[in-house]
Amino acid sequence: MKKFNFNAGPSVLPRQVIEETAKAVLDLNGIGLSVLEISHRSKDFQAVLDEAVALFKELLEIPEGYSVLFLGGGASMQFCMVPYNFMEKKAAYLNTGTWANKALKEAKNFGEAVEVASSKDKTYCYIPKNYVVPADADYFHITTNNTIYGTEIRKDIDCNIPLIADMSSDIFSRPVDVSKYTCIYGGAQKNLAPSGVTFVIVKNDALGKVSRTIPTMLDYRTHIDGGSMYNTPPVLPIYSAMLTLRWIKEQGGVKEMQRRAQERAELLYGEIDRNPLFRGTAVEEDRSLMNIDFVMADDYKELEQDFMAFAQSKGLVGIKGHRSIGGFRASCYNALPLEAVQTLVDCMKEFQKNH
Ligand SMILES: *Cc1c(COP(=O)(O)O)cnc(C)c1O
């Protein structure tokens, strides 16, 4: 049976990327060696890394003066690298979910990390508004897409101090005005590549302003100077990321990714709102286009396991909600075909008819 992959991360990749990665694992560009066994300093891999960086800059229209890095350690490593590199005394954080909260907790090890606002009071079902960012903080940290709770900051916000964003789960799903940010980072395994590589976009002249000693591997300048080759980078995930970036470009770039995301989200939220058996968990204006969370409506709670089994029988994979919120989560990343969402919607309609 055809499977539709709604996993939250690692998650669906374009079929073409998987096939071309598989080919390169057997033989990279006909050189007679696998991508798994070549030197990261070989010209064949250097070309891959250069193309990945160039496509990053082209697709996101990254202005002059920014570097694009590919590192290990996951987005979670950035929770400490960000304060190491940018926090002198004080930093401001918007607490919009599990990941935002982890970033905030880590920053507390480095100085005064202020929680500017939080939506924890309502299980993170909304994005706080009308908060005040302290003008004397070194930066303001946001999580643009809350992968677990299904909320998203879909527009680039204006900020009076340097803005830093975790974009792990919505990078390349819309155009971003990179000039508004000092740093953007994310794990690649949601929208870009297999797990193992982290991307960082950093404004060069914002670095070197803190007085603490930064461990070599955690200093962005090390990786800028080394061209992401100070040590051995995650070669295979970078190769796949490069292929995904080529795919995004072929498909029409981030504007087209945004159009598709809106199309998928309208279809699924439309059914969630129409079908009396289900209810969305995020407030409407802050709904994520990437992670769509819903539960059984209050009168139908006992049907949750039945629906899960029914969806599985239709080939729908990975729609179980995160353990901290329950219900269902349909992660609709760039590579998810509309057909997958249509199949889920048909499944919800059929389930309603049967009950
Ligand atoms: C998945 C995720 C993380 C954690 O990423 P790792 O690469 O596993 O460390 C951080 N932030 C967000 C928004 C995520 O979705």
Side-chain angles (χ1 to χ4, degrees):
M1 191 203 330
K2 185 164 183 178
K3 293 286 174 76
F4 296 105
N5 182 2
F6 289 92
N7 280 323
S11 40
V12 62
L13 288 169
R15 190 65 211 167
Q16 179 182 329
V17 168
I18 292 172
E19 283 169 5
E20 286 178 27
T21 299
K23 267 191 217 150
V25 166
L26 296 173
D27 186 350
L28 177 67
N29 305 334
I31 63 171
L33 292 172
S34 166
V35 66
L36 302 179
E37 54 182 2
I38 56 166
S39 166
H40 58 294
R41 300 196 190 280
S42 63
K43 70 171 181 356
D44 294 291
F45 184 69
Q46 186 67 55
V48 170
L49 186 76
D50 291 347
E51 185 174 346
V53 170
L55 284 167
F56 236 90
K57 291 186 172 171
E58 181 184 339
L59 290 166
L60 291 177
E61 298 179 28
I62 299 176
E64 289 291 308
Y66 284 80
S67 297
V68 175
L69 307 174
F70 294 105
L71 309 176
S76 303
M77 176 79 105
Q78 297 307 308
F79 297 165
C80 83
M81 279 181 82
V82 163
Y84 250 128
N85 284 268
F86 294 114
M87 183 172 172
E88 182 65 23
K89 278 206 181 72
K90 182 172 173 179
Y93 280 73
L94 188 64
N95 185 2
T96 51
T98 307
W99 298 115
N101 196 39
K102 282 188 175 174
L104 167 65
K105 263 175 90 177
E106 193 68 21
K108 287 184 175 163
N109 294 324
F110 294 83
E112 189 188 350
V114 188
E115 183 184 85
V116 165
S118 167
S119 48
K120 195 172 180 199
D121 58 336
K122 292 189 176 152
T123 329
Y124 296 116
C125 74
Y126 68 101
I127 303 286
K129 318 248 160 32
N130 303 321
Y131 47 78
V132 178
V133 178
D136 61 342
D138 299 313
Y139 62 83
F140 179 44
H141 181 281
I142 58 172
T143 309
T144 51
N145 186 63
N146 298 284
T147 321
I148 294 175
Y149 296 95
T151 62
E152 188 176 9
I153 301 170
R154 292 205 298 264
K155 284 202 180 81
D156 302 309
I157 61 171
D158 292 307
C159 189
N160 51 334
I161 61 172
L163 182 61
I164 296 182
D166 175 354
M167 293 198 187
S168 292
S169 50
D170 62 351
I171 191 77
F172 293 110
S173 70
R174 64 172 174 94
V176 172
D177 182 354
V178 175
S179 71
K180 288 192 168 184
Y181 300 83
T182 287
C183 178
I184 296 171
Y185 66 86
Q189 69 274 19
K190 312 280 164 59
N191 231 345
L192 195 61
S195 64
V197 66
T198 310
F199 64 84
V200 180
I201 303 167
V202 59
K203 193 175 187 176
N204 300 328
D205 68 13
L207 295 168
K209 295 188 175 163
V210 292
S211 54
R212 72 169 62 79
T213 302
I214 307 173
T216 308
M217 274 295 285
L218 301 182
D219 189 334
Y220 290 123
R221 289 169 300 180
T222 301
H223 302 288
I224 293 173
D225 294 346
S228 296
M229 294 262 201
Y230 172 76
N231 68 325
T232 319
V235 169
L236 186 70
I238 292 173
Y239 185 75
S240 299
M242 183 276 287
L243 294 174
T244 302
L245 295 167
R246 271 188 194 166
W247 177 84
I248 293 171
K249 187 177 169 180
E250 277 164 30
Q251 302 297 307
V254 285
K255 281 222 176 77
E256 174 61 14
M257 293 300 116
Q258 183 179 38
R259 191 196 64 76
R260 291 182 193 182
Q262 281 164 346
E263 191 176 30
R264 284 187 300 258
E266 262 166 43
L267 182 59
L268 185 48
Y269 282 123
E271 177 60 15
I272 291 168
D273 292 343
R274 185 207 63 81
N275 194 320
L277 267 61
F278 300 96
R279 173 173 68 76
T281 56
V283 306
E284 211 170 317
E285 61 179 358
D286 298 325
R287 281 173 164 178
S288 168
L289 301 189
M290 294 284 104
N291 308 96
I292 300 182
D293 288 10
F294 57 104
V295 293
M296 300 308 303
D298 293 341
D299 293 342
Y300 301 97
K301 281 273 173 259
E302 75 286 356
L303 293 176
E304 184 169 314
Q305 287 317 311
D306 290 354
F307 180 70
M308 196 71 82
F310 188 62
Q312 261 162 19
S313 77
K314 304 278 185 188
L316 303 170
V317 177
I319 63 159
K320 193 172 164 39
H322 188 270
R323 59 187 183 279
S324 61
I325 160 168
F328 312 100
R329 169 173 55 173
S331 295
C332 300
Y333 297 124
N334 285 337
L336 189 81
L338 186 63
E339 185 195 358
V341 177
Q342 188 61 59
T343 306
L344 173 56
V345 165
D346 293 346
C347 176
M348 291 163 78
K349 286 188 169 50
E350 198 179 331
F351 191 76
Q352 182 197 6
K353 245 187 246 146
N354 300 342
H355 287 87

